[in-house]
């Protein structure tokens, strides 16, 4: 087999099922409480049931699904405790990071402006999944710029939960899309001004809003 053939070889069947289901869960095409059948997934992806089972076991291990023999896989809803835990972890990491990057370098400021433009474009197109991804990248860029590889790795472990919660939040309150853009703009302005305390306070307010989901104020 030539290198070109290897490069174009499609991913294994189980990997295709895994990415199909995971992306659908993250962008809420498969919402919490949905029961997925192996047969339907096999047909949707064009594979046999064996790789479907393999993919579902992997997703169960990641906490996205609960398997029920002979019935299928239940998409687990986001729990109030999970939301509270993610918000607490994000605050610990992000408030530290945003204060540490001050004075912010030109490369970081340019990247944040670029991500803001992406968010505006996705908002205009009504693409909530892409908006949530760009939103998360905005915060991740600040964390990485703080220069602590261990904290950055910890933050990356929150990625899937952040994306799922971000889409859920915007479905629950569409006005949040514009608010997120405004608040990110304010954070960027604080970084440009070199005001670490103000930037940290803005991050605290911005992230803590997600706790409304945990309190049942946003559904």
């Amino acid at each position: 087999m030539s290198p070109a053939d290897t490069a174009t070889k499609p991913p294994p069947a189980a990997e295709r099922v895994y990415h199909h289901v995971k992306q659908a869960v993250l962008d809420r095409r498969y919402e919490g409480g949905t029961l997925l059948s192996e047969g339907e997934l096999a047909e949707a992806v064009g594979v046999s049931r064996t790789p479907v089972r393999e993919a579902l076991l992997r997703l169960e291990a990641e906490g996205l699904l609960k398997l029920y023999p002979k019935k299928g896989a239940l998409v687990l809803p986001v729990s109030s405790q999970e939301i509270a835990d993610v918000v607490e972890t994000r605050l610990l990491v992000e408030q530290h990071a945003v204060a540490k990057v001050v004075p912010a370098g030109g490369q970081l400021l340019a990247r944040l402006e670029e991500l803001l433009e992406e968010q505006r474009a996705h908002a205009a197109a009504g693409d909530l999944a892409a908006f949530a991804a760009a939103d998360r990248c905005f915060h991740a860029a600040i964390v990485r710029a703080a220069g602590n590889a261990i904290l950055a790795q910890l933050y990356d472990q929150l990625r899937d939960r952040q994306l799922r919660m971000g889409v859920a939040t915007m479905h629950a309150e569409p006005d949040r899309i514009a608010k997120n853009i405004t608040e990110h703009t304010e954070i960027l302005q604080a970084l440009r001004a070199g005001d670490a305390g103000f930037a940290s306070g803005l991050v605290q307010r911005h992230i803590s809003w997600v706790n409304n989901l945990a309190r049942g104020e946003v559904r």
Side-chain angles (χ1 to χ4, degrees), residues 163-178:
L163 292 177
R164 195 175 178 203
M165 291 176 191
V167 175
T169 299
M170 288 179 287
H171 272 284
E173 185 168 327
D175 289 349
R176 192 64 210 171
I177 298 172

Side-chain angles (χ1 to χ4, degrees), residues 144-163:
R144 284 194 297 270
N148 186 319
I150 295 175
L151 277 183
Q153 184 178 27
L154 170 64
Y155 190 78
D156 284 343
Q157 292 174 7
L158 299 176
R159 176 185 176 276
D160 292 345
R161 290 182 170 91
Q162 284 180 255
L163 292 177

Side-chain angles (χ1 to χ4, degrees), residues 168-211:
T169 299
M170 288 179 287
H171 272 284
E173 185 168 327
D175 289 349
R176 192 64 210 171
I177 298 172
K179 290 176 183 176
N180 275 9
I181 292 173
T182 297
E183 290 171 10
H184 283 181
T185 302
E186 291 171 347
I187 292 168
L188 177 55
Q189 289 171 343
L191 288 176
R192 279 204 179 101
D195 193 331
F198 187 45
S200 181
L202 290 171
V203 166
Q204 193 276 335
R205 184 190 69 182
H206 177 65
I207 295 173
S208 295
W209 186 91
V210 182
N211 270 325

Side-chain angles (χ1 to χ4, degrees), residues 108-121:
L108 173 60
L109 295 175
R111 176 58 177 156
L112 295 179
E113 183 61 55
E114 177 184 324
L115 288 166
L116 263 174
E117 286 303 315
E118 287 185 21
Q119 289 168 64
R120 293 186 183 104

